[in-house]
Each structure stands twice: as structure tokens, then as C-alpha cells.
Amino acid sequence: MIDISKTLSDSWQKALETEINKDYFKELVTALEKEYRSETIYPKKENIFRTFELVDLEQIKVVIIGQDPYHAPNQAHGLAFSVQKGCKIPPSLKNIFKELERSLNYKYADHGDLSNWAKQGVFLLNNLLTVKEGKPLSHQYLQWETFTDSVIEIINKECQKLVFLLWGAKAQSKKKLIDTNKHYVLESVHPSPLSAYRGFLGNNHFAETNEILRKINKEPIDWSVK
């Protein structure tokens, strides 16, 4: 049984109470339960809302918006761009690590689990939170985007002086949900191999994010992968 309320902290419970009681979200959960019974769906049920579990609403410093979960076995675990330890590092994440190495001299990681970022307040939100095995964007029809847009709107309203990293056209389309007078927004092309060399590599977003956090008296992020 998928029950988001069991995984949420008090602050997320309060912030999302209205949203998760809307008809569309109840229908989404019902349809998703059926999908899990008849198809192979990623991530596992218990990991769908993992980013909410690791990053309390009041602890968010940085928001990174991804597209949808990885669709191969054992990769996705509820954090955008992140894969479980033991998985081959996907191409987009390799380019993220290349930019970290280039800009901050961080050693190239031997795994792709970004939980260490989340534990420091980096909210890794996918636009869609589930996917069918081998079928990217297969859960667009489930209205996940209605939910995740609402999450971005809640974060925009409830939090102060966050850094939003918008990589690629889809993530940049969310800029309309963000008060740019209140928050900082850094944009570039997506880290995908198709676009990374047209502006992602060299964007300095990780270094610039830490500069912003220091400027507003917040602890910078240790971007190493542990």
C-alpha cells in the first residue's frame, strides 16, 4: 500500500496535507498501485518519496530538478540523478561528477548515491516520481507533474533564499513557479551527453551555489559523494 503520509515529517505533513487529499492524487495512487501489481515499476514503493524523507521542508537549501527516475533495474531510489550503490554511474551523472571535478577539484566518485547531498539540504526532485521498467516518461499520464509542481510552489512559498539549479529546458520551465526576487536561480543545459558540452560542463553551478550560501550565512554544501 502506498501511503505518503507515513513517510513524511511533521513539516511536510502540514505542507502537503491539502494536496494529498485532492481527488487527482488519490486517483494517482490507485492507478499506481495497479501498475505495481501488473508491471515492473521503479523505484520500489518504499523509495518513491525518499527525497521528502531525507530533506525536511525546513532544511532545504538547494533544489535540483530532474526528469523521471532511471528505468533500469536497481538504479532509482527516489532521488533525482542519483543511483543506488553498486550501479554503473549513468552518463548524465558522470557529467555532473566531471563538472564537480573541474570546478571544485572533487575526486571522481566510484558510486552514484547522492544521499550525502540530500542529508545536507539538497532536495533532489524528479518531475515524475515513478517509471515503468525500460520505458522513460511512461508515467506522465499519472499526473505526477501536478503534484511536483505543487511541491515546488510550496517550497517557493515556505522557504527563504534557496538556490534552484535548473538544468535543461524541462527544468527551466519550472522557473515560472519560483519567485526570483526571493530565491536564486542558476540555469544551464542538461548534463546529458547530448548537451553537456554545450554549457553544462563549465557552468560552475556547484561553486556558485556555495558562494551564494556563504553570502547568505548558510553552511555550504560538501558536494563529495560518500
Side-chain angles (χ1 to χ4, degrees):
M1 180 70 180
I2 298 167
D3 185 356
I4 182 174
S5 63
K6 290 182 178 179
T7 68
L8 295 178
S9 66
D10 289 344
S11 63
W12 276 121
Q13 286 267 17
K14 183 178 178 181
L16 289 172
E17 182 178 11
T18 299
E19 200 65 27
I20 64 178
N21 282 299
K22 289 181 178 177
D23 287 343
Y24 90 87
F25 191 80
K26 293 177 181 178
E27 291 166 5
L28 185 161
V29 170
T30 299
L32 194 55
E33 288 281 10
K34 183 178 180 181
E35 291 266 354
Y36 271 99
R37 288 194 295 269
S38 61
E39 307 256 7
T40 300
I41 306 298
Y42 301 123
K44 292 180 179 178
K45 285 184 185 181
E46 60 267 28
N47 287 330
I48 295 173
F49 302 104
R50 189 158 180 261
T51 192
F52 296 86
E53 295 177 49
L54 292 181
V55 192
D56 193 76
L57 178 61
E58 297 163 348
Q59 297 172 330
I60 298 174
K61 296 179 185 176
V62 181
V63 179
I64 300 177
I65 299 173
Q67 186 166 271
D68 68 338
Y70 296 113
H71 51 84
N74 303 315
Q75 289 184 310
H77 63 142
L79 305 175
F81 292 104
S82 180
V83 291
Q84 298 185 73
K85 289 181 179 179
C87 290
K88 183 180 179 180
I89 298 172
S92 291
L93 187 53
K94 279 186 179 179
N95 285 329
I96 289 171
F97 288 163
K98 285 179 182 178
E99 173 56 21
L100 277 169
E101 190 171 35
R102 187 205 65 79
S103 61
L104 293 173
N105 295 316
Y106 280 179
K107 184 180 179 183
Y108 196 92
D110 61 1
H111 69 84
D113 184 346
L114 305 180
S115 297
N116 182 53
W117 296 6
K119 291 171 184 176
Q120 298 174 77
V122 180
F123 194 69
L124 297 157
L125 179 68
N126 272 318
N127 193 36
L128 312 176
L129 299 189
T130 55
V131 68
K132 293 181 182 180
E133 183 177 37
K135 297 178 181 178
L137 301 177
S138 49
H139 276 176
Q140 278 185 315
Y141 81 96
L142 283 179
Q143 296 192 74
W144 270 128
E145 195 164 358
T146 302
F147 175 72
T148 54
D149 278 1
S150 294
V151 169
I152 294 168
E153 289 175 333
I154 288 166
I155 292 171
N156 173 67
K157 179 183 176 182
E158 298 296 330
C159 300
Q160 302 297 322
K161 295 183 178 180
L162 304 185
V163 183
F164 286 82
L165 303 183
L166 306 182
W167 300 333
K170 186 63 179 178
Q172 288 164 15
S173 73
K174 307 302 178 181
K175 189 175 181 179
K176 64 182 182 290
L177 306 174
I178 303 164
D179 182 350
T180 55
N181 294 313
K182 179 181 181 183
H183 302 293
Y184 301 85
V185 176
L186 304 180
E187 302 176 70
S188 82
V189 299
H190 195 274
S192 160
L194 298 175
S195 57
Y197 290 92
R198 291 190 284 108
F200 180 82
L201 296 173
N203 68 15
N204 287 314
H205 279 187
F206 299 108
E208 193 172 343
T209 294
N210 280 353
E211 287 177 14
I212 291 169
L213 292 175
R214 290 188 189 98
K215 183 173 72 174
I216 59 177
N217 297 314
K218 292 185 180 183
E219 188 73 22
I221 305 299
D222 173 5
W223 293 107
S224 60
V225 177
K226 298 178 179 178

